[in-house]
Amino acid sequence: MVRQVRERADVVPQLAEVFRVHGFEGASLSRIRAETGLGKGSLYHFFPGGKDEMAAAVLADVDAWFLREVFSPLDSLPPEEGLALMWRAVDGYFASGRRICLVGAFALDATRDRFAAAVCGYFERWIASLRGALLRAGLANARAAALAEDLVLSIQGALVLSRALREDAPASHKDTVFSRALRRMQDEVGQALKRPPA
């Protein structure tokens, strides 16, 4: 049954889940229509540029969420508060490791070059916001830069490992590799901030 949608913004979260499950290449237009319940006319009304425009809209939506929920708090709040919000937001957004990073998935497949600016910008902004918060918290420049890179790397790696261990499937346990990794990262940051600057 074809569904009526009034706003383009209503379609973007549905498209994100199709791309998240099937990847860009695997998300054929027929699959997108089937899984969103939208007809070809509706999709092309909202996205005349086709699948590329759909993916660009999804990446922009992800970026806007991270800007609001992660990057801006890291940039503007006291460092400890911004970091605490980041841990909670990231754990919730990625469903404790049961939901892949769509931007990371785009970075790993053949679509990387097609969406290079959005993919690169997302990761650069996250690292820069973390680095800034760590600097304001008292870490030396080199240590803040290295730790910021390590944290984003560890978050992405924990997502991959959770998926590899099939923790993305519905499970009865709540403590995932991803959640444990986040706790270790929090401890690492806490310890780094307790040490006097070198």
Side-chain angles (χ1 to χ4, degrees), residues 70-196:
V70 177
F71 308 152
S72 290
L74 284 171
D75 293 341
S76 62
L77 295 176
E80 293 79 5
E81 191 177 336
L83 287 162
L85 284 173
M86 182 192 79
W87 301 123
R88 284 196 300 274
V90 165
D91 192 43
Y93 183 83
F94 294 120
S96 299
R98 293 184 180 93
R99 188 176 190 222
I100 69 165
C101 176
L102 187 56
V103 181
F106 274 43
L108 294 175
D109 70 14
T111 61
R112 180 188 64 198
D113 294 337
R114 186 177 289 167
F115 303 105
V119 169
C120 187
Y122 167 84
F123 287 111
E124 285 178 341
R125 180 64 196 269
W126 197 347
I127 291 166
S129 293
L130 264 171
R131 179 179 165 273
L134 294 169
L135 281 170
R136 291 194 326 277
L139 291 190
N141 185 44
R143 179 66 180 126
L147 185 54
E149 284 183 359
D150 287 348
L151 291 172
V152 174
L153 173 69
S154 296
I155 289 167
Q156 293 298 312
L159 288 169
V160 171
L161 186 56
S162 278
R163 188 165 181 85
L165 295 176
R166 303 191 59 77
E167 290 185 342
D168 57 323
S172 58
H173 67 285
K174 292 183 181 180
D175 194 33
T176 62
V177 165
F178 185 77
S179 294
R180 292 193 300 275
L182 280 187
R183 289 196 297 272
R184 287 193 299 273
M185 286 180 249
Q186 286 177 271
D187 290 345
E188 180 184 2
V189 170
Q191 291 302 315
L193 296 182
K194 286 179 188 172
R195 294 185 203 118

Side-chain angles (χ1 to χ4, degrees), residues 7 22 46 50 120 123 169 198:
E7 301 289 333
H22 302 288
F46 290 125
C120 187
F123 287 111

Side-chain angles (χ1 to χ4, degrees), residues 30-43:
S30 60
R31 178 169 273 156
I32 290 170
R33 288 194 308 269
E35 295 192 18
T36 63
L38 297 172
K40 188 175 182 178
S42 294
L43 285 173

